[in-house]
Amino acid sequence: GQTDPTIAGTTQTWTALKAGAGQLDVRGINGIDLKAYDLEVRLNSASTTDPAAMATKLDWITLNAADAPIFGTTSITDAVDGINADLDFSVMGAIEVAIEDNVLLFGAFGINAQTKTIDDGNGIVVADASVLSFSISGATLFAGAGGALIYDDVTLRATGLEEGGTGIAVQDGNLELAIISEAATAAAPLSWLAAAGEIGQADLRGIDGAIAIARNITFRFNGAATDAAMVSTKLDWTGIDDFNGTRIGTIEETLDLSFGGQIELNIQNNVIVAADFAGKIQTVSNVTDGAGITVAEAQLVQFNLSSAYLFIGDGGAFTRSGDLPSGVVNGVADQGTGFAVTNAALNLYVVNETAGVAATSVRSWTGLYATASQVAPRGLPEGLEIAVTDIEVVFNKATVTALPGGVATKGTKLDWVNVVQFTAVPDVFDAGTDLKVAGTLTLDAFGFVDLGARFDLQVISGVQAQLDTDAALEDANLLLLGLTLTDPLFIGQPGGVGISVGSGNVAVALLSAVPDAVLTATVTTIPSATAITGSLGNATITN
């Protein structure tokens, strides 16, 4: 079933090997315990006496008893589990390592090397490629002092990690690494690398007053190969059949790096932090917002922070779902003295245009949206309460930078919602607003001042305004500031004389001209205009 691999006039040798061991121990090394379980080793090689020739490996699964009686009984020629012509070697099994009580490790591993043609289905075909893959799965690791493994009473194999010790512990660690290289006979061989992994939990142990835990950590990386002409390419690993069903098999050619997980940190109850996070960096072509902006090639960055809780001060603590020590963090306890942020989120989006050949400028865009349910001090004197709730921050910027090393000027903003390469973009950005900060302020100062008000600050660019008499319209920035009572305002003696305002608002608008990017004369004044309006309702004097 295989094309004749023999080379006339030479002596050739073909070797195939399958070997296994239930357990392998390294003994007699003081302080080091090393075991391997369920080992399997496979090898396929070919050699020739002609140094100018390239020997071809056998496809052993095509052989049967008709070729030689032994081929009818050996697993090497098994149609399902035999050795094919692609394989160079493979090693798989489980490992257990203990170096004193300082380094402890156990988990499954696999190494596989093949030589074959690779086609990623996206335009990259590599003949006679060297394909090396490495994996670790279900791994537990401890590095420090005083660590101890938990063993199964029957199999005597490690199954877990004791809680004690001082150091770093990793549980349910998984790593996949793959390298695909062009044949060594190529003029300048290229190599592509991909890595992917997940960690169930990693934590810092045995340091008094410090807790650091990371959970459900994931990452993906796609490394580019760069040729002599400085042209970079990346593989679409999702199109390579060898990686179907693996983490690496989920990596597309546009991906540079992605990561995510949850973190929790507590330092002496003075600084406590908990948050979910996710990020992605990718290089893509044809970025468009459907509103007139198209970018031929760009690097995109997306970072999301959610369910974030922070306390800085003394005596802080989290509240958790079900009031369980292992429950999900859902708040900052009303205790201690300091500053607390609850249920915060941040969404960051960046597009950086890749400069083309002979480009005279490059464009970049940044969008940021952040929210928080509450920002408030803790531990104030009884009767004094202050908090800012329902906080919202929007930042939107577009920049055009002249090349090489030229002046940066404002550009046209992206319609972020319609950039398909980003996911779950909130519909809060508009073409005019550069910055928006909004929230609700509540204040009760021992009953002498009682205030509830919604505030809103907004900066808008690209406004056309006539700021000089008889002058033409010119580019200006607009600053808007608003304050609206959400609860009646009281200032005075509690239960006595004071001023009460049932409703009210005030608004300020400031227009300011934008100087030219390249000045032709000395600027002595910048035209501006200001407007203020306000109203009060149900204002009374109490006694």
Side-chain angles (χ1 to χ4, degrees):
Q2 182 182 9
T3 302
D4 187 357
T6 59
I7 304 171
T10 69
T11 300
Q12 294 174 257
T13 302
W14 293 273
T15 302
L17 170 70
K18 285 182 71 176
Q23 181 170 330
L24 178 67
D25 295 77
V26 176
R27 299 181 179 180
I29 302 177
N30 188 36
I32 298 178
D33 187 12
L34 174 61
K35 296 183 177 71
Y37 302 102
D38 306 325
L39 284 175
E40 182 185 79
V41 178
R42 299 186 180 206
L43 174 69
N44 190 11
S45 68
S47 62
T48 174
T49 57
D50 183 355
M54 180 68 71
T56 301
K57 293 175 295 180
L58 283 180
D59 188 357
W60 295 86
I61 62 176
T62 66
L63 302 177
N64 53 43
D67 298 294
I70 191 174
F71 294 145
T73 59
T74 177
S75 63
I76 288 175
T77 58
D78 184 85
V80 176
D81 195 39
I83 295 177
N84 62 30
D86 294 335
L87 180 72
D88 295 329
F89 69 88
S90 68
V91 182
M92 61 185 298
I95 192 169
E96 183 181 308
V97 180
I99 303 176
E100 298 290 353
D101 59 1
N102 304 120
V103 178
L104 308 175
L105 168 68
F106 72 86
F109 72 94
I111 304 172
N112 185 281
Q114 302 180 77
T115 300
K116 61 184 302 184
T117 295
I118 291 294
D119 184 349
D120 75 342
N122 197 46
I124 297 180
V125 179
V126 185
D128 295 324
S130 172
V131 183
L132 177 65
S133 58
F134 172 75
S135 67
I136 296 175
S137 59
T140 293
L141 168 68
F142 175 85
L149 295 173
I150 300 172
Y151 293 91
D152 184 271
D153 292 337
V154 177
T155 65
L156 302 181
R157 297 185 183 186
T159 59
L161 191 64
E162 297 281 3
E163 288 296 328
T166 300
I168 298 174
V170 175
Q171 299 179 74
D172 193 20
N174 302 274
L175 172 67
E176 296 174 7
L177 179 69
I179 302 173
I180 294 179
S181 303
E182 289 183 320
T185 54
L190 300 179
S191 292
W192 295 265
L193 181 146
E198 298 180 7
I199 296 175
Q201 179 170 310
D203 59 280
L204 186 65
R205 297 185 174 185
I207 299 179
D208 188 36
I211 298 173
I213 303 173
R215 298 184 180 93
N216 303 320
I217 304 298
T218 64
F219 71 90
R220 305 284 188 275
F221 172 77
N222 194 2
T226 304
D227 62 19
M230 302 306 294
V231 175
S232 296
T233 57
K234 290 186 296 184
L235 288 173
D236 184 354
W237 299 85
T238 66
I240 302 175
D241 292 341
D242 297 68
F243 299 100
N244 287 345
T246 68
R247 295 174 179 85
I248 284 179
T250 66
I251 298 176
E252 298 178 340
E253 79 282 359
T254 59
L255 180 71
D256 296 330
L257 174 70
S258 69
F259 54 89
Q262 298 104 39
I263 58 170
E264 186 175 322
L265 174 67
N266 186 332
I267 302 176
Q268 299 284 353
N269 294 328
N270 299 129
V271 177
I272 61 174
V273 180
D276 297 349
F277 65 93
K280 177 184 284 189
I281 302 172
Q282 51 185 331
T283 301
V284 300
S285 301
N286 192 32
V287 179
T288 180
D289 68 347
I293 296 178
T294 299
V295 186
E297 183 174 298
Q299 185 176 71
L300 277 59
V301 178
Q302 178 172 351
F303 178 74
N304 303 103
L305 194 69
S306 60
S307 301
Y309 298 87
L310 167 68
F311 176 87
I312 299 175
D314 181 56
F318 289 130
T319 60
R320 300 178 182 274
S321 59
D323 292 327
L324 298 174
S326 60
V328 175
V329 173
N330 58 14
V332 178
D334 189 11
Q335 67 181 58
T337 301
F339 181 81
V341 179
T342 61
N343 195 30
L346 181 146
N347 302 280
L348 174 66
Y349 311 94
V350 178
V351 177
N352 290 320
E353 183 178 29
T354 302
V357 177
T360 58
S361 65
V362 290
R363 297 169 292 174
S364 62
W365 295 265
T366 302
L368 182 146
Y369 178 59
T371 60
S373 295
Q374 185 184 71
V375 176
R378 294 282 198 269
L380 295 177
E382 185 176 355
L384 177 60
E385 297 179 5
I386 183 171
V388 181
T389 58
D390 301 326
I391 301 165
E392 181 182 34
V393 177
V394 180
F395 176 77
N396 195 6
K397 183 179 181 180
T399 303
V400 180
T401 303
L403 295 176
V407 176
T409 58
K410 286 188 176 182
T412 302
K413 297 182 180 70
L414 277 172
D415 185 355
W416 293 98
V417 172
N418 292 317
V419 179
V420 297
Q421 288 88 353
F422 289 125
T423 56
V425 178
D427 191 9
V428 296
F429 301 100
D430 62 68
T433 301
D434 294 348
L435 175 68
K436 177 182 177 182
V437 180
T440 299
L441 171 66
T442 57
L443 170 65
D444 183 357
F446 308 104
F448 292 98
V449 178
D450 193 355
L451 168 68
R454 181 72 180 175
F455 62 88
D456 190 320
L457 181 148
Q458 194 168 359
V459 178
I460 302 173
S461 62
V463 177
Q464 295 294 300
Q466 185 181 23
L467 296 172
D468 282 329
T469 305
D470 300 326
L473 294 176
E474 57 185 313
D475 191 23
N477 290 331
L478 174 62
L479 172 65
L480 298 174
L481 178 62
L483 188 68
T484 302
L485 290 178
T486 57
D487 294 302
L489 166 66
F490 176 80
I491 302 175
Q493 179 71 33
V497 177
I499 299 174
S500 176
V501 179
S503 61
N505 61 78
V506 62
V508 178
L510 173 63
L511 268 172
S512 179
V514 178
D516 295 333
V518 179
L519 300 176
T520 58
T522 302
V523 176
T524 57
T525 61
I526 298 177
S528 62
T530 303
I532 302 175
T533 182
S535 66
L536 295 176
N538 299 322
T540 59
I541 297 176
T542 62
N543 52 44

